[in-house]
Amino acid sequence: MILRETSGIKFYEFPGLNRYPSVFHGFFTRHGGFSKPPYHTLNVAFKVGDNPADVAKNVKKIRKMLQGRLIWVNQDHGCKIIIIDKHYLETCNQNIPPEADAIITSEPGVALMIKVADCQAIFLFDRVKNVIANIHCGWRGNVNEIIKKTVDTMKKTFKSDPRDVIATISPSLGPCCGEFKGYRELLPAHFHGYRVGVNHFDFWKISREQLIKAGISEKNIEIAGMCTVCGNNHFFSYRKEKITGRCAAVIMLKEKE
Ligand SMILES: [Zn+2]
């Protein structure tokens, strides 16, 4: 991963996705914002108990850096997917965003933001059709196959060929910390092969497998391989901190110059 810093904001880029100059992407650390503990400092989630004025300042700082329109949704571990098209952009009220866990757009200058603390943010980029998606994928998202559903929506709406799609898996819960004591009840049997310890699971591998099953080439998948629980000095971690902020994961098609 490549670490960048702009006005105190630190964010990571994926080296492979970074090869495409038409795309901006970043997984933001918790540094460079305005929020007070336990949300210190770059928390982008309004609904976790943080002072809304601080969150608004954090979001504004990111938006200013991107110089684009920043779009986010109310994530609820469901399977709703929203296409951010011209109609959506004209009619949406960003103060009351709709519920969804994946957003897709082909509009340049529109930054898609997913908020995470241990869950995965998965970026998809169709380099031929110029379409991007940002998926909020926690273990429930894996169980509910949100990855496949998002790729299917890109196929249906934008005629995307999954073989043209680049995919990245953000810093998130690693196999080192992915303990699921109740896995027999919580996780389907075909996940049990990804058990790495007594009760630990490798959700990076589960997501990679689901991306491959959705038709994406293994060589086009990048995994950050950074655990947010172990790395909670840089990232927000729900498992480690319980009351905490959310990191921003952002992808945007740049405006043509
Ligand atoms: Zn860990």
Side-chain angles (χ1 to χ4, degrees), residues 172-178 204 226-231:
S172 49
L173 178 70
C176 40
C177 298
W204 296 339
M226 299 168 97
C227 173
T228 46
V229 185
C230 296

Side-chain angles (χ1 to χ4, degrees), residues 88-101:
Y88 182 95
L89 292 166
E90 280 161 16
T91 55
C92 78
N93 177 354
Q94 199 57 79
N95 293 321
I96 37 166
E99 282 179 3
D101 285 273

